[in-house]
Amino acid sequence: MFISALLRNYRIEEYIQFMHDVQQLCINNDATALQLGARLETFTTQFTLLEAAYAKPLRHELTEVIKDLDAQRDRLFSQINMYLSGNQLEANTEIATAAGAVLQKINDYGGVGQINKLNYQAQTAALRNLIDDVLVMPQLDTLATMVNYRSMLQTLQTINEEFRVKFLERTQNQGTLSNEEAFLALREPMNEAYYKLLFRIEAGAEFNEEQETPLPNFKQVSDGINDAIRRVNKLVEARKSSSDDSPTNESPANDGV
């Protein structure tokens, strides 16, 4: 039912974000109906310990700056998408077609909703590539009579680059983990709790399918976890060519802080 998560290759912030996503998926899909009970309690306990171990390093003077820049780029990107959606409904077919072309380019990257949900580093890279691609589109000239998208995109580009610089600065200031053994000591029981939780979901799903009216919760939580696995595995695969893909080779700068 579940695809294999490349847990040992997940970097620190990816690992913590992934486990957080799994926890929230279980809660949001009614953990009681899923009958996760003690398995989810154990998982939550281990995750709380793991998260707490990195809470202190994650507190940094640049954190609020980074959060503010992230919120700015999310709002501006969403605003651009909203304007384009409106222009796509214009009676002027040339305007509507041009807006549709730009929206399609955005959707080729996953769409505004998906991009804004990516972790910090992945979102920064996606926006950088997307903006570069869109800025050379001739359709922007056609749309200039409606909205100055080129200017908005250049502003988004500036914010995104400032975010990248500040995020890198914070990472460099924090340095790398000084005690990898401590991290591994927390990670091993977290992995065990994760696999036991998934085993419980699979067992419950098999029993659920035998019922006259199966609950949709099992499929929803399974699909959600598999989506999360694919998302992080994709990041791992993208850096396969790197000479070092150690799970502890980055500082614990985590999204959502």
Side-chain angles (χ1 to χ4, degrees), residues 154-199:
Q154 288 170 341
T155 300
L156 180 59
Q157 188 177 49
T158 299
I159 296 171
N160 195 53
E161 180 60 17
E162 185 177 358
F163 177 94
R164 186 191 70 80
V165 171
K166 294 298 183 184
F167 187 85
L168 180 60
E169 181 181 345
R170 185 182 73 166
T171 301
Q172 291 173 334
N173 287 345
Q174 288 175 325
T176 56
L177 281 175
S178 58
N179 191 349
E180 293 186 6
E181 291 183 2
F183 171 69
L184 292 175
L186 289 168
R187 192 158 176 158
E188 288 175 4
M190 183 77 258
N191 286 350
E192 182 179 354
Y194 165 77
Y195 289 123
K196 286 183 177 180
L197 180 65
L198 262 58
F199 180 81

Side-chain angles (χ1 to χ4, degrees), residues 118-248:
L118 293 173
N119 64 49
Y120 281 166
Q121 293 162 300
Q123 182 182 4
T124 302
L127 283 174
R128 175 190 281 185
N129 294 331
L130 171 60
I131 293 168
D132 286 345
D133 284 351
V134 175
L135 280 175
V136 298
M137 294 181 70
Q139 287 87 348
L140 293 184
D141 296 326
T142 303
L143 293 166
T145 58
M146 305 296 294
V147 178
N148 191 346
Y149 287 108
R150 194 176 302 280
S151 176
M152 294 181 74
L153 286 164
Q154 288 170 341
T155 300
L156 180 59
Q157 188 177 49
T158 299
I159 296 171
N160 195 53
E161 180 60 17
E162 185 177 358
F163 177 94
R164 186 191 70 80
V165 171
K166 294 298 183 184
F167 187 85
L168 180 60
E169 181 181 345
R170 185 182 73 166
T171 301
Q172 291 173 334
N173 287 345
Q174 288 175 325
T176 56
L177 281 175
S178 58
N179 191 349
E180 293 186 6
E181 291 183 2
F183 171 69
L184 292 175
L186 289 168
R187 192 158 176 158
E188 288 175 4
M190 183 77 258
N191 286 350
E192 182 179 354
Y194 165 77
Y195 289 123
K196 286 183 177 180
L197 180 65
L198 262 58
F199 180 81
R200 181 68 190 88
I201 294 173
E202 287 183 331
E206 290 179 7
F207 177 77
N208 181 62
E209 286 301 316
E210 297 172 357
Q211 305 309 302
E212 184 175 348
T213 308
L215 296 173
N217 309 57
F218 287 96
K219 184 178 187 312
Q220 291 168 354
V221 73
S222 298
D223 288 348
I225 292 174
N226 276 332
D227 285 344
I229 293 172
R230 290 189 187 94
R231 185 165 59 248
V232 192
N233 280 2
K234 187 176 180 180
L235 295 175
V236 173
E237 295 296 339
R239 59 176 180 259
K240 280 289 188 179
S241 59
S242 173
S243 59
D244 181 14
D245 194 28
S246 166
T248 57

Side-chain angles (χ1 to χ4, degrees), residues 37-52:
R39 296 294 174 86
L40 181 58
E41 289 179 10
T42 300
F43 180 94
T44 299
T45 298
Q46 292 300 327
F47 179 70
T48 300
L49 292 172
L50 184 72
E51 197 173 36

